[in-house]
Amino acid sequence: MEEDCCATQLIYGDGEFNADGLDRFVKEVKLAECGVSYGVVAIVGPRSSGKSTLQDHLFNSKFREMNANSVRSQTTKGIWIAKCVGIEPCTIAMDLESTDGSERGQDDTAFEKQSALFALAVSDIVLINIKGYSNYALIINAPQPQLMRQEMFKRSLDEQDKPFLETFFQVMMSFGIPRKTMFMFVIHDNSKTPFQHWHPGLRKFILNVLFSKALEEIWNGVPKPQAYKSTRFSDFFSEEVVVMPSYEEKEKFKEEVAQLRQRFSHSISPGGFAGDRRGVVPASGFSFSAQQIWKVIKDNKDLDLHAHKVMVATVRCEEIANQKFNKLINDGGWLALKEAVQTGPVQGFGKRLSSIVGTYLSEYDIEAIYFDEGARNSKRQLLESKALDFVYPTYTTMLGHVRSKALEDFKVRLEESLNKREGFTSSVRTCTQSSMLEFDEGCADAAIQQANWDSSRVRKKLQRDIDAYASSVCSAKLSKLNGNYEKQLSASLTGPVEALLETSGKDTWASIRKLLNRETEFTISKFSAAVADFELDKETIAQLLQHLRDYSRNVVEKIAREEATKIMIHMKDRFFTVFNYNSDSMPRVWTEKVDIRSITKDARSASMKLLAVMAAIRLDEKPDNIEKVLFSTLMDGIVSVSSSQDRRIGASADPLASSTWEEVSLENTLITPVQCKSLWVEFKTETEYSVIEAISVQEAYKRSNNWLPPPWAIMVMVVHGFNQFMLLLK
């Protein structure tokens, strides 16, 4: 039985609080599991009033009983607690040291007052044990009038029990009690006539009139703070008077105790002894609350029970919150979920995480439900905030996976759509909508119930990534498309332009311009149709088309510059073509009738025209005098000078002693005047041998065809050979 009641000394006689013992007691009786479904009963009274004896029989608490023969010994030192065995719900019995100061002396009543204050602060029911009422019976049976008997009763009560009653009344006004405390006055019957044998009216008169009046008188006589001047005893307490037989009548005593014991079952129910549950400290905070209350009382400080309640709730709720948070961070499901998210997206992430977080928030709510609402809600918010901050990095990692997957799916969808020859812009629009919808669904799956986290930042990043990728693909497609059309332009221009430049004539650049415009416009029309699917703005399209125009012009210019570097070869080829072949493209025979000088001039003139054509790029149809300057300067006598302008050109000192041509920009110059002069000198040098050789061939031809002797020789032969001829005839 002693093991069941777990009797423990809570406060030692010297005032030291047994915190370790209380913690063990709470664990042994499983008090923390009771919530607010528990009660605390304290029993107080004068020395040798039978407090511990009554409590042991009433609650099976087995407190030490005072040896009846040890008159000067005190039954209880300090404060003891024990579980009331067999009473539901859980009820804690508290046995206090005597409240009349007789054991410690009248000069040392501090502990009695402190213990009384402590009992009032933590107890729901206070049993005030009174030694006996034999004197009261004599007063009631006296022949005096009722008022006089009432005064005699009060005076008798004052003499026996007033000291510890005043102690209770004084200390309770030093703090506010949030609920009514039940005062149960237990009077032990030590009269010759048992109380139950008295007339019912007389018993009622004693319990409801004399005793209540006496208590009210004692209450009114206690000095009160200003705030309690007009208060009544009934504002703070509900009282009940119970008369018990003397312990000497053991059977009767046990019978009455058993009946009273039944009344303590379900004492916290409405209408029970402790039915007022306002301000009750939840059982899980009882240990801490009791320690703090005793500390405040011991330090002789003012005890504000409401503030104490909030403080206990704050500390205890914080402890519960920390416990739940520690369990959360070590939760197996959470650790597995966190590890899984590190490698990729997890289906049902939000639901699983919500369940994990919700589990510990619910556990907190269950354990902290009975604490002060303000403190409870505050610590819950902190717990929730702390838990959400803890899991938020994993949530962002999950969103990162969702974003990455949506982006990768966008890339795959876009590639598939483009492979099907669908329009680029429409494909991007459709694939973007699908990926953003996929992301939104992923965010919804990752969201947890306890938080309203904003995923717009990640969504905007996904949109930027999609736009950037689409732009890069667009640029790549346009670049590829542009490259294809550049190749087409290059292919359609290179051969014809090279041929035109090689066969340079009077209309070479006009033909090149015509070819350039035709091929460029044809390519641009096809390119415009191709880029229509990209839905580009007008400015961008104009830039792309201008790029193709510039490219086609650059192709021609590049070909012209390349051909200009081979001008000597082309000039010699032109010279030898004209010089060595006739108009029918037949090789010339250098007979005596052939005018080599005239042919040489024609060949050199053709080469000069080629040099004039290749000297500058003429894609802008601007007139120039390059050919005339070259002919007038390098081909004296070949071209006649008729106009005044031509005469001025011919009369100039050296028109070719310059690095630029008139009316021709530097970027359009292929061969400068100085270079033309140098080339011409080199050209004449390299072709002179062919002319000399042709003349030599002609001379040899002449000699080979002239085999008859001169006429004078024939005449000499006729004259001198006539005689030989006639002789022969004869």
Side-chain angles (χ1 to χ4, degrees), residues 8-12 14-28 79 81 118 286-292 294-295:
T8 302
Q9 185 157 18
L10 180 63
I11 299 174
Y12 297 112
D14 58 1
E16 180 184 354
F17 194 95
N18 184 11
D20 294 337
L22 178 58
D23 290 339
R24 287 194 301 272
F25 173 81
V26 170
K27 291 180 181 179
E28 290 174 359
I79 300 176
I81 59 171
F118 181 77
F286 177 80
S287 178
F288 177 76
S289 175
Q291 293 181 54
Q292 294 302 311
W294 181 250
K295 183 177 184 300

Side-chain angles (χ1 to χ4, degrees), residues 531-673:
V531 299
D533 290 337
F534 291 86
E535 296 184 8
L536 303 173
D537 57 88
K538 293 181 179 180
E539 183 179 355
T540 303
I541 293 177
Q543 291 176 354
L544 291 173
L545 298 182
Q546 185 60 43
H547 171 77
L548 283 179
R549 290 189 177 93
D550 294 341
Y551 178 81
S552 61
R553 184 185 178 97
N554 291 336
V555 168
V556 174
E557 291 179 354
K558 181 179 179 182
I559 295 172
R561 295 183 190 281
E562 290 177 354
E563 294 300 319
T565 61
K566 300 183 287 185
I567 184 61
M568 181 60 70
I569 298 174
H570 293 320
M571 289 173 65
K572 290 193 293 183
D573 289 344
R574 177 66 59 84
F575 176 83
F576 290 128
T577 299
V578 175
F579 187 78
N580 292 326
Y581 296 91
N582 58 23
S583 58
D584 296 329
S585 299
M586 297 298 293
R588 293 183 187 277
V589 178
W590 303 111
T591 64
E592 58 185 7
K593 296 180 180 180
V594 176
D595 188 354
I596 294 178
R597 182 180 179 85
S598 176
I599 292 173
T600 300
K601 290 182 179 179
D602 291 341
R604 287 179 176 175
S605 178
S607 297
M608 181 67 73
K609 290 180 180 179
L610 178 60
L611 178 61
V613 170
M614 295 296 297
I617 297 173
R618 300 174 177 86
L619 295 178
D620 298 324
E621 297 188 55
K622 294 180 180 180
D624 61 73
N625 295 318
I626 295 176
E627 185 175 342
K628 290 182 180 181
V629 170
L630 289 176
F631 271 91
S632 64
T633 305
L634 302 177
M635 295 284 291
D636 290 338
I638 299 300
V639 179
S640 61
V641 180
S642 57
S643 65
S644 60
Q645 183 180 4
D646 295 338
R647 285 195 295 272
R648 287 195 300 272
I649 294 173
S652 63
D654 190 358
L656 298 181
S658 175
S659 61
T660 59
W661 299 101
E662 291 184 6
E663 301 177 353
V664 177
S665 63
L666 183 61
E667 59 268 16
N668 287 333
T669 300
L670 296 176
I671 306 173
T672 65

Side-chain angles (χ1 to χ4, degrees), residues 243-346:
V243 178
M244 299 293 295
S246 173
Y247 183 64
E248 302 299 332
E249 301 179 28
K250 292 186 177 181
E251 295 302 323
K252 190 63 178 176
F253 176 80
K254 292 180 180 179
E255 181 182 344
E256 292 293 334
V257 166
Q259 293 178 7
L260 181 59
R261 176 184 175 83
Q262 292 295 323
R263 299 183 62 189
F264 274 92
S265 294
H266 307 292
S267 60
I268 65 173
S269 300
F273 288 153
D276 189 352
R277 308 305 292 161
R278 292 175 295 171
V280 175
V281 175
S284 60
F286 177 80
S287 178
F288 177 76
S289 175
Q291 293 181 54
Q292 294 302 311
I293 289 175
W294 181 250
K295 183 177 184 300
V296 172
I297 295 173
K298 197 76 170 60
D299 294 342
N300 198 24
K301 296 179 180 179
D302 292 337
L303 179 60
D304 184 344
L305 280 186
H306 177 72
H308 172 76
K309 173 188 173 185
V310 174
M311 182 271 292
V312 172
T314 300
V315 173
R316 184 60 187 136
C317 288
E318 184 173 359
E319 291 178 352
I320 297 173
N322 290 336
Q323 292 172 2
K324 300 311 169 187
F325 180 75
N326 291 332
K327 290 180 65 177
L328 168 63
I329 63 178
N330 295 303
D331 183 84
W334 155 249
L335 295 176
L337 181 62
K338 180 181 179 181
E339 183 178 358
V341 170
Q342 301 306 314
T343 59
V346 177

